[in-house]
Amino acid sequence: QAINQSLFIRLFASERRQTTFMADEKPPARISHRRFATGSLRKRYKMSKIDEIRGEMVKAMKAKDKARKDVLSLLLAELKNVEINNRTPLTDEEGNQVILKQIKQLKETLSLTPADRQDIIDECNFSISVLEEYAPKMMDESEIKAVIEETLKELSIETPTAQDKGKIMKVLMPKVKGKADGKLVNQVLGSMMA
């Protein structure tokens, strides 16, 4: 209990909260964390991904859910690393990319894990399930197809061929980055080619 309280104090006392403000508003000198949490300011100010994950980690600590807390702690550390390396506040897109990258790495670990290592399999599956709660909703096949069709119209391509793929992907990928699985995008585009 003493350790949890100590960590709780360090999280909110020693680390500067990072809040993303609307472009046409100036942040107040100080924001009451309780007021923000209860929603009095939530409508006007949007919490950063770091704030969101930190808050969720504290909830897990209070609930004494060590497994969940450990997953969120690793995610929080990685989000902070990206922000430090970029030397700018973390954007939602960057935060989403970090989460998707961690999920991808865990799935790769799963694919390489021997069937008799159930402990590793269970740990990876649990971590993925926690991370997916904070991952962006991924586009399905029909949504990807709609974006591809839009891209083909922009490029004046009626029936795409393998020779057009490079040109199409150059315009298409920025539209679906962080929103769709790259393999699925390739599959859908391939099925539309002559």
Side-chain angles (χ1 to χ4, degrees), residues 102-165:
Q102 288 201 351
I103 291 173
K104 182 180 179 182
Q105 290 173 341
L106 286 164
K107 287 182 176 179
E108 289 173 352
T109 299
L110 268 179
S111 67
L112 298 172
T113 302
D116 61 344
R117 290 304 307 270
Q118 192 62 42
D119 57 331
I120 297 177
I121 293 171
D122 290 344
E123 184 178 346
C124 286
N125 281 327
F126 176 77
S127 297
I128 290 170
S129 70
V130 173
L131 293 172
E132 284 181 340
E133 293 179 32
Y134 309 99
K137 178 183 177 296
M138 302 302 281
M139 298 170 69
D140 60 25
E141 190 171 332
S142 62
E143 291 172 323
I144 292 171
K145 187 175 182 179
V147 177
I148 293 175
E149 289 173 346
E150 176 188 303
T151 302
L152 294 178
K153 285 181 181 179
E154 288 179 21
L155 297 173
S156 300
I157 298 174
E158 290 187 8
T159 307
T161 65
Q163 292 180 336
D164 298 318
K165 186 174 182 180

Side-chain angles (χ1 to χ4, degrees), residues 1-44:
Q1 181 68 25
I3 294 175
N4 284 346
Q5 288 178 346
S6 175
L7 286 172
F8 181 83
I9 292 169
R10 284 165 54 196
L11 281 168
F12 290 101
S14 67
E15 295 178 4
R16 184 177 62 187
R17 294 184 66 255
Q18 298 172 8
T19 306
T20 303
F21 300 94
M22 294 173 64
D24 60 343
E25 292 185 308
K26 292 183 179 180
R30 295 183 65 184
I31 297 177
S32 163
H33 192 76
R34 178 172 294 181
R35 285 179 62 205
F36 192 93
T38 55
S40 61
L41 291 176
R42 190 179 296 165
K43 292 180 181 179
R44 296 176 62 197

